[in-house]
Every structure is written in structure tokens, then in C-alpha cells.
Amino acid sequence: MRSNLEDSPPASPPPRGRGWARQAAALAGFLAVSWIVSLLGSLPIRLHGGGWYAAAEKAPWTPPGWMFAAVWLTLYAAMAVAAWLVWRQRRSPRRSALRIYALQLALNLAWPPVFFGLYPMLGVAALWLALLVLTALALTAMLTVLRFGPISTVAGVLMLPNVSWIVFSGSLNLYAALNN
């Protein structure tokens, strides 16, 4: 018995218009949305990264700045491919899974303005608030893995590095909140 919907053959041939061109366009759309979220999320970092954050006490395990951009571009691409793999299954549980994915993208977009943008106004309180956003993001990302996995094993696995990076980012955020 097959345990993954992705591995089972389609019940009927796909309707017209769902060919390779549609699949490629959908993948491009998922990548575009994902990278737009990444770009928008990077704006507060670019605006405040050289200000208060440059002088802030950072965790000794903080990677160099260029690494964040490289990691996020890769993670956002993997998340987009995962969402596309779920979308293309055309099965009913995919809608709720994709809603959770969309919530995860929204939380990804919310964290940088809270952490970087609110600090000049709220001080350390902004870092604690950002940690709450990051906690919600981590829970949502884990829920996305759990929802994507039964629909597409590959999609679930593609989301795991994102969960790991969010937890790592949480350690950096916690250190900043405790030491600034």
C-alpha cells in the first residue's frame, strides 16, 4: 500500500490546461511570491542593519551577514518548491496545508520589521516581541511540515531546513533580547 499521495498515479488524466506550461507557470509563481516575501522582509534589515543592530551585542555564533541572504534565498526557494509540490497534487487536504504555508510566509514577513524596525522605538521590548513572532513562526513551520508530508514526502522534507533555521534564528533573537 502506498503511503504517499505523490507516489500514487492520478485517478484520471489531468484536465486540459494543466500541462507542463501550467506547471512551470505555477512553480514560477510560487518562487516569485516566496522571493518577494524574502525581498520585502529584507528591507527592515537593510534599513536598520547598519544602525542599532551593528552596535548591538550579538551571539558569538552569529554567522556573517552575507550568509543570511544566501541561506534565506535557498530556504525560500525550497519552500516555494515544496508548496508547488503540494499544490500540484490537486487533492483536498492541500488547501488547508497551503493556508498554513501562507500563514508561515506572513509570519516570515512580520519578523524583520518587529525585530529590526521596532527596536529604535521600543528598545529591548521589540526583541522580545520579535521572539514571540519567531515562536509562532516556528510552530507554523512545523505544522507546515506535518501537513505537507502526508501530501508529498518531498515537500515535507524540503520544509525541514526552514524549521532548523528558524530555531537557529530564535537562538540569535533570544541572545539579543537577553544582552541588549
Side-chain angles (χ1 to χ4, degrees), residues 89-141:
Q89 288 304 311
R90 316 302 275 171
R91 302 270 176 21
S92 61
R94 76 183 173 109
R95 287 184 191 246
S96 64
L98 289 172
R99 277 191 211 104
I100 293 167
Y101 172 76
L103 176 59
Q104 180 200 312
L105 283 180
L107 289 168
N108 264 308
L109 188 56
W111 181 82
V114 173
F115 184 88
F116 289 95
L118 290 182
Y119 184 85
M121 294 178 282
L122 301 178
V124 176
L127 303 181
W128 289 106
L129 184 58
L131 189 58
L132 286 175
V133 172
L134 211 50
T135 301
L137 174 57
L139 293 171
T140 306

Side-chain angles (χ1 to χ4, degrees), residues 59 61 63 68 71-72 75 108 111 115 130-131 134 137 162-176:
W61 58 91
F68 287 96
V71 168
W72 278 116
L75 290 175
N108 264 308
W111 181 82
F115 184 88
L131 189 58
L134 211 50
L137 174 57
N162 180 49
V163 173
S164 298
W165 187 259
I166 292 167
V167 171
F168 175 71
S169 296
S171 75
L172 300 176
N173 191 150
L174 178 61
Y175 187 94

Side-chain angles (χ1 to χ4, degrees), residues 13-161:
R16 295 187 119 204
R18 296 208 201 282
W20 287 105
R22 181 173 166 91
Q23 293 291 324
L27 177 57
F30 278 107
L31 285 167
V33 167
S34 192
W35 284 332
I36 287 169
V37 168
S38 178
L39 174 67
L40 292 174
S42 73
L43 294 177
I45 299 167
R46 292 175 188 191
L47 291 172
H48 300 284
W52 75 265
Y53 185 72
E57 183 70 28
K58 294 174 202 62
W61 58 91
T62 302
W66 62 265
M67 186 179 284
F68 287 96
V71 168
W72 278 116
L73 283 174
T74 303
L75 290 175
Y76 274 100
M79 292 187 312
V81 171
W84 173 74
L85 287 170
V86 168
W87 170 83
R88 68 191 298 255
Q89 288 304 311
R90 316 302 275 171
R91 302 270 176 21
S92 61
R94 76 183 173 109
R95 287 184 191 246
S96 64
L98 289 172
R99 277 191 211 104
I100 293 167
Y101 172 76
L103 176 59
Q104 180 200 312
L105 283 180
L107 289 168
N108 264 308
L109 188 56
W111 181 82
V114 173
F115 184 88
F116 289 95
L118 290 182
Y119 184 85
M121 294 178 282
L122 301 178
V124 176
L127 303 181
W128 289 106
L129 184 58
L131 189 58
L132 286 175
V133 172
L134 211 50
T135 301
L137 174 57
L139 293 171
T140 306
M142 286 186 268
L143 188 54
T144 303
V145 170
L146 294 173
R147 292 289 181 98
F148 276 18
I151 298 169
S152 166
T153 303
V154 173
V157 170
L158 281 171
M159 294 300 294
L160 288 174

